[in-house]
């Protein structure tokens, strides 16, 4: 009889556990927050989706609900002032927010995300420590730089090992997707290749795949994506409509010293090779029209200039997967990409070679 009751008890506990996994519960305490609305927002698609709203009372709140699959989300006051990110799934969460930050416990994906985050935090802590030591008299700069390089390498290796150990998890795809803008095409592809099918099928997994697909469209030999944008005088132009034997599509911003230095070199390049068929198409990632136009005048950028004044959120920058500046693409008369990522002497030599080859045709 005891055995039967024991088995029934186990069955009831098992059934309860299964039911618990069918929904989520987020219990939280926030220090120093005025009572008021708190939102739970899914942040996986283009537009945020509000999953729920509760009122914080005496710093305490509880969210309950259900999701079909893990989803990147965040908690935020209704005024949008501050947010607490988490990976939401059908599990129990405990959230404790204080002046030192937010501590989140619960959920398999959230725990995995925390492990990835700790790797990054360890590197950042070492980087900050080295930066402080570099300010001391007699600091060995090379030795300190070696320490940073070693810490970075250890961080990368630890991240790769954690990806390999968890190839099918949502959190793994989520972390890789968050780093798209800081990755090279090769680095992003190597991480994506480690993912299993389940992780690739998630929204962040599909986002990574879409980024890699866009990189493929920017390969040498492919037709350069066309775009239309505004000139400083308010008129518009399209890349494919510009007639030239060779077009240098150059992404820059007025606040970047390296870009401003390159502008000086590009003026010399343009004056030398414009008669032979070179056109430069500068796309600024500025957000202030005055800064953009002033820099054009100061640097003598007498070629074709354009900008939508949306910074790195520019659709053109996204089209060309531009994350770092300056960025360059050489496009031939048929609007095919013939070279990319060149600067300085390498750019000058390639322009000379391509125009010479074009002349022989």
């Amino acid at each position: 009889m005891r055995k039967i009751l024991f088995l029934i008890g186990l069955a009831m506990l098992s059934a309860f556990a299964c039911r618990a996994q069918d929904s989520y519960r987020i219990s939280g305490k926030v220090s120093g927050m005025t009572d008021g609305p708190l939102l739970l927002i899914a942040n996986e698609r283009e537009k945020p989706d509000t999953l729920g709203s509760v009122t914080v009372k005496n710093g305490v709140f509880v969210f309950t609900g259900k999701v079909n699959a893990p989803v990147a989300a965040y908690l935020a006051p209704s005024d949008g002032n501050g947010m607490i990110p988490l990976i939401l799934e059908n599990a129990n969460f405990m959230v404790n927010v204080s002046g030192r930050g937010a501590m989140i416990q619960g959920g398999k994906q959230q725990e995995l995300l925390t492990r990835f985050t700790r790797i990054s935090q360890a590197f950042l802590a070492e980087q900050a420590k080295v930066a402080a030591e570099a300010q001391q008299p007699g600091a060995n700069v090379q030795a300190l730089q070696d320490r940073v390089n070693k810490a970075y390498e250890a961080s990368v290796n630890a991240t790769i090992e954690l990806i390999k150990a968890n190839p099918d998890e949502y959190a793994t795809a989520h972390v890789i997707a968050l780093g798209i803008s800081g990755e090279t095409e090769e680095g992003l592809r190597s991480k994506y290749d480690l993912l299993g099918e389940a992780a690739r099928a998630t929204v962040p997994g599909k986002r990574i795949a879409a980024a890699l697909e866009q990189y493929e469209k920017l390969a040498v030999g492919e037709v350069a994506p066309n775009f239309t944008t505004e000139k400083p005088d308010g008129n518009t132009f399209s890349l494919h409509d510009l007639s030239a034997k060779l077009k240098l599509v150059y992404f820059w911003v007025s606040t970047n010293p390296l870009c401003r230095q390159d502008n000086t070199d590009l003026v010399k390049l343009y004056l030398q090779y414009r008669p032979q068929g070179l056109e430069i198409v500068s796309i600024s990632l500025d957000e202030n029209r005055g800064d953009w136009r002033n820099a054009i005048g100061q640097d003598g950028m007498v070629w074709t200039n354009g900008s939508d004044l949306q910074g790195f959120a520019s659709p053109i920058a996204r089209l060309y997967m531009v994350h770092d500046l300056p960025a360059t693409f050489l496009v031939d008369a048929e609007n095919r990409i013939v070279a990319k990522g060149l600067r300085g002497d390498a750019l000058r030599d390639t322009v000379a070679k391509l125009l010479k080859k074009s002349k022989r045709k």
Side-chain angles (χ1 to χ4, degrees), residues 112 115-116 158-169 172 194:
L112 180 55
R115 293 174 65 189
F116 277 110
T159 299
I160 293 297
E161 290 306 311
L162 195 52
I163 292 173
K164 288 180 179 178
N166 300 275
D168 278 310
E169 303 297 341
T172 303
L194 296 175

Side-chain angles (χ1 to χ4, degrees), residues 63-248:
F63 279 100
T64 58
K66 180 179 179 180
V67 289
N68 296 324
V71 57
Y74 61 88
L75 299 167
S78 57
D79 61 6
N81 186 19
M83 61 179 63
I84 304 167
L86 77 157
I87 296 180
L88 184 63
E89 59 186 305
N90 293 323
N92 292 324
F93 295 85
M94 293 290 294
V95 179
N96 196 326
V97 184
S98 65
R100 294 178 295 177
M103 184 178 71
I104 304 173
Q105 294 178 309
K108 178 182 178 182
Q109 302 305 319
Q110 181 64 33
E111 293 296 336
L112 180 55
L113 176 61
T114 299
R115 293 174 65 189
F116 277 110
T117 302
R118 284 173 182 159
I119 295 173
S120 299
Q121 288 174 337
F123 167 68
L124 292 175
E126 178 66 6
Q127 189 178 45
K129 186 177 179 181
V130 168
E133 292 180 25
Q135 301 301 315
Q136 300 301 316
N140 187 330
V141 176
Q142 185 57 55
L144 292 174
Q145 184 60 56
D146 290 342
R147 270 178 57 188
V148 172
N149 293 342
K150 185 177 180 180
Y152 177 73
E153 184 178 352
S155 174
V156 171
N157 291 338
T159 299
I160 293 297
E161 290 306 311
L162 195 52
I163 292 173
K164 288 180 179 178
N166 300 275
D168 278 310
E169 303 297 341
Y170 175 95
T172 303
H174 174 69
V175 167
I176 296 173
L178 286 177
I180 287 176
S181 63
E183 283 279 10
T184 62
E185 177 182 359
E186 295 74 19
L188 185 62
R189 187 172 297 282
S190 66
K191 287 185 173 68
Y192 182 74
D193 288 343
L194 296 175
L195 291 179
E197 291 303 317
R200 293 184 182 190
T202 64
V203 170
K206 292 176 181 178
R207 189 178 303 130
I208 302 166
L212 291 171
E213 185 177 325
Q214 189 59 33
Y215 272 125
E216 291 174 0
K217 295 178 182 178
L218 298 169
V220 171
E222 295 294 323
V223 174
N226 195 23
F227 58 81
T228 300
T229 192
E230 188 175 313
K231 295 180 179 180
D233 63 6
N235 291 319
T236 61
F237 71 91
S238 297
L239 175 65
H240 287 190
D241 290 342
L242 296 176
S243 179
K245 291 181 179 179
L246 186 65
K247 288 177 268 194
L248 171 60

Side-chain angles (χ1 to χ4, degrees), residues 42-61:
N43 192 34
E44 199 171 54
R45 308 285 181 179
E46 282 289 328
K47 294 183 179 180
D49 179 23
T50 300
L51 301 178
S53 175
V54 299
T55 300
V56 177
K57 293 182 179 180
N58 299 319
V60 176
F61 65 88

